Amino acid sequence: MRLRTRLFAFSFLQLLALGALFVLTGYLLQQGILPLVEDRIRHQAITVAEHLSTDLEIPLGAQDEAGVREALAAATGEDPDFAGAVVKGADGTVVAQLGAGDGAKPSRPVVESRDVNVEGYRLGTVEVMFSRRRIDDAQRWFLQMAAVAGLALAMGALVSFRFIRAILDPMNRIMEFARHLEEGHLERRIPPDVAVSELKALVGQLNRMADGLEQRDAQLELQRDDLAAAREAALAASKAKSNFLANMSHEIRTPLNGILGVCDLLTDTSMDAVQSDYLRTMRVSADRLLVVINDILDISKIEAGKMAVERVRVELPELVRDVLRLFAGAAADKGLRLRVEAEAFTPRFLQTDPTRLTQVLSNLVSNAIKFTNEGEVAVEIHLDNLSGRAAVRLSVRDEGIGMSAEQLARVFQPFEQGDISTTRRFGGTGLGLAISRNLVNLMGGELRVDSRAGEGSRFDVVLPSTEQGPHVDTLSGHRVVLAGIRSAEARQVGRVLRDLGAEVVEVADAAAVDPLLFSGTDVLLVSARADAGVVRQLAEQPGVPPLAVLRGLGCPPGLEARPELLLPVFGADAVDLVLGQRRVVAAQPALPRAERSLRVLVAEDNRINQMLVTRMLETLGHHVKVVANGRLAVDAVMAGDVDLVLMDIQMPEMDGLEAARAIRRAGQVAVPIIALTANAMQGDAEVCLEAGMNDYLTKPVERAKLAEAVARIGGPPSVDLG
């Protein structure tokens, strides 16, 4: 309800109360007070009349006028309401009277009369009169009080109305002023001619507030202009940075593609030991340069908010083993023990980005090996929780130089690496950990660190998990015999099997396994390093349980094609082996050679890259034609002698994107096109696909990835050129 309505309602109620007061006063006078007073006076008159009728028997019977008067005076006393009395004889003549006579009666008196009787004989009558003055006084007093109250209420209503006007007018101005402020009219002000001092002070305060808002708005307008200019400058700088990174990537990756490609091709030639060492040094140096380039591009994508991660179902044991295979040689070269343990109840699958998780783990393991001179580097996988949710923790722990509290505070900042001496001794850009933390955050997890100077470091990658691992009694009632397995490996395998409820029997020498153990044993597990003849003899013994092989990361497949349990041992793998869901792991296949040759068109303007890609494709069994720009590529495809196109993006005359669009516009939709580019920025793959290409390869090109892409996209040739 608005204030105006409330105030007028208050005034109306005052007037209504005034009318009610008059009505109530009249009602009380007519129905309550006046009848009560009149009844009291009448009762008094009756009482006096009855007393006189008794007191006048003797004097009236004796015709004693003086006695009659004396009786009248004695009965009436000094009652203020008594107005007069008249005594008449039996014949109606007035014997005596007191007070007003018949000719001087008060106005509307209360009259009561009684007969004076003696032994049934009527001597006369007595009549008494009482005045109504008290009734008239009471009525007059109530009317006066009502008039005073009515006048007071009327004055109050008048004052209220004037007060309402004194408040409402300024309030209306204030509300109108507030509406103008809301609409942005900061130049409006409230007139100061206000009668109420409090409202006048409020008006002054509001006007001063409007002055401040107007000044602030002017300052904000200037700041908005400055911010708009700064935003435009930042966008221009960001675009320039992106263009610079794209050009830098292209200019560095193009010659780097030549270096790595030549190294790859040279591995197929005959070389002496010195040349092989030189080649290995060249390859390692080029790979390190590629890592630096990728780190710079990744941190740029993260800063620009363009780094995207996928979420797929990843087999965690295989991912961890792939990372460890990459660094097993580096750890061995430094004489470090690379120890890996997985909690038995760890789930096999994890919903995450396999590429980015591999990148993070590779960086952490690489750092651990790099900063550790002796001792061990341990990778441990455990169950954990993340903000109350189930999670898996992958820990990388080393016994290296460690970090001080000051170094820990900035360890995840880009381009930070302990101190200058650390950078000189161990190298690196200081981007790896900054990138890793951002990637883990994008995957919905946390990257934690704990370190002390001189005592080593531990990094924990904690990722949410929705998968279930084996339970504590999954292998209850099963027995596994470990035969000829080294103590360290036996401890790891035995711990996992026992945690899952299995019975474990260890035999130090595979040749000394007692056949009595065969009964009730589910799996006989031997080391991949065991003598093949001993294993064969075990396998030929009657009643022997299923035979399986425990193989470490650095041990190639052997011992025929038998079920394997790979180190590090995960509980899910152990369950599969014991319960009969066996996995036979074959040796890593060589690069596939095409059974039928494809006619491949290579559109590339760099002569070194032309030679490298041509040689790689020829070693895969394909026939190659090379052109130096996109226009020639369009002409070659239109000539109809091409099964597959490898298209560089940046070429003279017509670039690869425009060439792909021209080929598709010409109706050549059946010819697959694979982009071959040195650009590796966010969105480059999408641009290539939108232009009509089928796949995307980033330089430097590896033969394995090229072979996979050609096999996947190329399809069968139209003509057999084998």
Side-chain angles (χ1 to χ4, degrees), residues 18 205 314 390 401 596 674 713:
L18 176 62
Q205 186 67 30
V314 180
I401 61 176
R596 303 175 66 185
I674 299 176
I713 301 296

Side-chain angles (χ1 to χ4, degrees), residues 89 140 144 197 257 259-260 285 317 337 391 422 444 452 467 471 479 500 503 509 570 573 586 611 644 649 675 691 701:
R140 186 164 45 255
Q144 290 174 351
S197 59
N257 182 59
I259 297 172
L260 291 173
S285 299
R337 294 186 304 276
T422 301
R452 290 178 178 83
E467 303 280 349
H471 299 291
R479 182 202 289 170
L500 296 175
E503 178 188 355
D509 187 358
F570 282 73
D573 292 337
M611 180 270 292
L644 174 68
I649 298 300
V701 178

Side-chain angles (χ1 to χ4, degrees), residues 48-57 114-117 126:
V48 172
E50 289 179 351
H51 286 172
L52 284 175
S53 66
T54 301
D55 294 341
L56 290 176
E57 289 178 358
R114 293 291 186 271
D115 291 334
V116 180
N117 299 315
V126 58

Side-chain angles (χ1 to χ4, degrees), residues 452-651:
R452 290 178 178 83
E455 299 181 11
S457 304
R458 191 187 78 189
F459 287 85
D460 296 330
V461 178
V462 185
L463 295 174
S465 171
T466 57
E467 303 280 349
Q468 294 291 329
H471 299 291
V472 67
D473 57 351
T474 303
L475 296 182
S476 178
H478 295 271
R479 182 202 289 170
V480 178
V481 174
L482 308 182
I485 297 176
R486 293 187 302 185
S487 59
E489 296 174 348
R491 280 197 302 271
Q492 182 183 154
V493 178
R495 176 185 56 78
V496 172
L497 291 171
R498 290 187 182 95
D499 286 346
L500 296 175
E503 178 188 355
V504 179
V505 178
E506 298 183 25
V507 179
D509 187 358
V513 176
D514 189 347
L516 295 177
L517 290 174
F518 292 170
S519 177
T521 296
D522 295 275
V523 175
L524 178 58
L525 189 63
V526 299
S527 173
R529 300 182 180 87
D531 182 82
V534 173
V535 175
R536 193 174 297 111
Q537 290 178 3
L538 276 174
E540 293 173 354
Q541 292 190 36
V544 65
L547 197 65
V549 178
L550 178 67
R551 183 163 63 88
L553 294 174
C555 185
L559 298 179
E560 305 173 353
R562 298 189 184 279
E564 292 190 342
L565 185 61
L566 300 180
L567 291 170
V569 176
F570 282 73
D573 292 337
V575 170
D576 288 349
L577 180 70
V578 175
L579 298 184
Q581 301 171 356
R582 306 171 184 176
R583 304 174 65 198
V584 179
V585 181
Q588 181 68 26
L591 289 175
R593 182 177 176 85
E595 295 181 1
R596 303 175 66 185
S597 296
L598 296 177
R599 299 172 299 182
V600 181
L601 175 67
V602 177
E604 169 67 65
D605 63 321
N606 185 277
R607 293 186 62 184
I608 297 176
N609 289 337
Q610 290 176 356
M611 180 270 292
L612 290 172
V613 176
T614 298
R615 181 58 186 150
M616 289 180 182
L617 290 170
E618 288 176 347
T619 59
L620 295 173
H622 302 293
H623 285 206
V624 182
K625 178 180 180 180
V626 178
V627 294
N629 60 61
R631 192 174 305 280
L632 294 176
V634 175
D635 294 340
V637 173
M638 298 304 297
D641 57 350
V642 175
D643 296 316
L644 174 68
V645 179
L646 288 180
M647 184 81 74
D648 187 27
I649 298 300
Q650 295 186 1
M651 293 184 293

Side-chain angles (χ1 to χ4, degrees), residues 314-329 338 340-342 346-348 357-358 361-362 365 379 381 394 492-493 496 549-555 564-577 583 585:
V314 180
E315 190 170 359
L316 187 59
E318 288 303 316
L319 186 144
V320 172
R321 291 183 186 116
D322 287 342
V323 171
L324 296 176
R325 288 189 188 100
L326 294 175
F327 298 98
L338 186 57
V340 187
E341 287 190 7
T346 304
R348 169 176 288 161
L357 181 55
T358 299
L361 286 179
S362 297
V365 175
V379 178
I381 301 97
L394 298 96
Q492 182 183 154
V493 178
V496 172
V549 178
L550 178 67
R551 183 163 63 88
L553 294 174
C555 185
E564 292 190 342
L565 185 61
L566 300 180
L567 291 170
V569 176
F570 282 73
D573 292 337
V575 170
D576 288 349
L577 180 70
R583 304 174 65 198
V585 181

